[in-house]
Amino acid sequence: PVGSNRHQAALEALLLLLKAYGRPTRGVARVAGGRLRLRPGLIREPDVMFMLPEHRHRRYSKYWDGADLVIEVISEDDPNRDLITKRAEYALAQIPEYWIVDPRDRSIRVLTLDSGATEYRQAGHYYAGDSATSILLPTFNLAVTSVFNQE
């Protein structure tokens, strides 16, 4: 389902910030509608996904075969889809980092996958006034407020 205006505004802010990060590093960010294959027979369309330049061989014209970072803005219709279902699916697909953006409390959870793990570990939970920092992309950080003040 199409997200609310608040959902779309957060998604747009995240995409623009990640694209700006990716430009000099040659990483690629895509927005909802981009197809991400987690395993044969399972495709998701994350709100935002990012691939490091060294993994460009996994980008195909119809889908990406995995990603390095996936961001989901919690859906109002079914929060558990992003909090539980997708979290488990992305971990099993070995997506190294998963951000959960929650408009309800205006927070960002940064989850990381330790080597060989099949479940994420929370690396940080950030709120207004905080700066959310990636584990995978150490120079990528953003003011949480900037994501939620775009409405």
Side-chain angles (χ1 to χ4, degrees):
V2 177
S4 66
N5 184 57
R6 184 169 49 169
H7 181 109
Q8 292 295 321
L11 187 155
E12 182 180 71
L14 289 159
L15 176 67
L16 292 173
L17 291 164
L18 202 50
K19 278 189 154 305
Y21 170 84
R23 206 168 290 119
T25 66
R26 300 184 52 95
V28 176
R30 292 288 183 259
V31 71
R35 295 169 51 87
L36 177 64
R37 185 175 84 146
L38 300 178
R39 65 177 187 268
L42 180 58
I43 298 280
R44 283 286 187 187
E45 294 180 1
D47 286 328
V48 179
M49 57 187 182
F50 184 82
M51 178 107 41
L52 293 165
E54 57 266 29
H55 298 143
R56 73 179 60 129
H57 62 280
R58 296 185 350 219
R59 293 188 337 236
Y60 302 101
S61 63
K62 294 189 179 193
Y63 64 88
W64 284 9
D65 197 11
D68 294 304
L69 169 63
V70 170
I71 301 174
E72 293 285 2
V73 179
I74 289 183
S75 298
E76 295 171 9
D77 67 315
D78 184 5
N80 285 339
R81 182 174 51 241
D82 299 311
L83 292 168
I84 298 169
T85 306
K86 289 182 182 179
R87 180 178 178 154
E89 290 174 352
Y90 293 151
L92 289 173
Q94 296 293 292
I95 306 294
E97 192 162 299
Y98 178 35
W99 286 30
I100 300 173
V101 178
D102 194 340
R104 300 170 305 173
D105 66 359
R106 301 170 70 95
S107 73
I108 298 175
R109 289 184 188 110
V110 175
L111 307 173
T112 188
L113 197 61
D114 295 324
S115 180
T118 57
E119 292 183 5
Y120 285 110
R121 171 180 58 82
Q122 185 168 290
H125 195 172
Y126 305 97
Y127 296 88
D130 295 335
S131 182
T133 303
S134 171
I135 302 304
L136 179 70
L137 314 171
T139 60
F140 180 66
N141 59 68
L142 54 90
V144 173
T145 306
S146 70
V147 172
F148 298 107
N149 285 349
Q150 301 300 317
E151 299 177 58

